Amino acid sequence: MPDIFGVIADATRRDILRVLLERHQQDAEMSVSEIVGQLEISQPTVSKHLKVLREAELVTVREEGQHRFYALDPEPLEMVEDFVIPFLSAGFDTEVTVEYLSEDGDRVPGPDGDDPFGDPLDGDEVLSEETAAAAERIGRAAARAEHRVKELVARFKLRA
């Protein structure tokens, strides 16, 4: 497989990928002539670049008679994403402070019985096991959401 970074380094190939991405979001394919028309470059140039993208497995092709229909396969770009995201998120402050409040707004101990601000407590159970399990699931969902937001911010920065 060709070096993915070398493949996407070419501006024309990136343009083709952008056009195919728009169609991918509509779950549709594009013919070579549609790509040519949208990018206003020659058919041989488009075909040459599509061949490189095909070899890098960034696009798939479906033949129907003499026509070829192309679709984006974004999976190989996940390798690029995995490489780039740590650089884009290096400046993010990911430390989160959690404060547990009662219905009245008073500070209460966390689910492990410790005061989130370091004050030792008497060890009384704060949450039932069922509630603690639910809180743990919510925490995991929040962590996944935080990760997804960071991914989206990183992608937005790449487009800017």
Side-chain angles (χ1 to χ4, degrees):
M1 182 166 150
D3 177 34
I4 193 89
F5 292 96
V7 172
I8 62 174
D10 184 89
T12 302
R13 288 193 284 270
R14 288 193 310 271
D15 290 340
I16 292 170
L17 289 172
R18 277 191 206 98
V19 168
L20 290 172
L21 175 61
E22 291 173 16
R23 285 293 176 93
H24 178 76
Q25 291 169 336
Q26 301 165 3
D27 201 28
E29 303 168 315
M30 281 187 94
S31 68
V32 175
S33 61
E34 288 175 301
I35 297 169
V36 167
Q38 195 156 348
L39 296 178
E40 298 179 356
I41 52 180
S42 73
Q43 186 273 327
T45 300
V46 169
S47 293
K48 176 185 83 169
H49 288 292
L50 283 169
K51 180 180 184 226
V52 173
L53 293 170
R54 227 179 24 251
E55 289 171 352
E57 299 176 359
L58 287 167
V59 298
T60 59
V61 63
R62 180 179 60 84
E63 294 183 28
E64 190 175 289
Q66 293 183 350
H67 300 282
R68 291 183 176 195
F69 296 91
Y70 289 86
L72 176 68
D73 183 358
E75 191 173 322
L77 290 171
E78 289 177 8
M79 180 178 19
V80 175
E81 179 184 45
D82 291 344
F83 177 81
V84 171
I85 283 185
F87 294 95
L88 298 174
S89 61
F92 284 117
D93 180 17
T94 58
E95 187 175 324
V96 176
T97 302
V98 178
E99 184 175 329
Y100 297 92
L101 303 175
S102 69
E103 290 180 12
D104 299 328
D106 298 325
R107 200 170 56 173
V108 296
D112 58 3
D114 292 332
D115 184 320
F117 298 95
D119 300 332
L121 299 170
D122 59 11
D124 291 341
E125 185 177 339
V126 176
L127 299 174
S128 68
E129 284 186 37
E130 184 179 296
T131 304
E136 184 176 341
R137 286 192 301 272
I138 290 169
R140 287 183 183 161
R144 284 192 302 271
E146 178 188 16
H147 177 72
R148 185 68 182 136
V149 166
K150 285 181 181 179
E151 285 180 346
L152 292 172
V153 168
R155 287 181 185 175
F156 178 76
K157 284 184 175 180
L158 281 175
R159 292 183 186 149

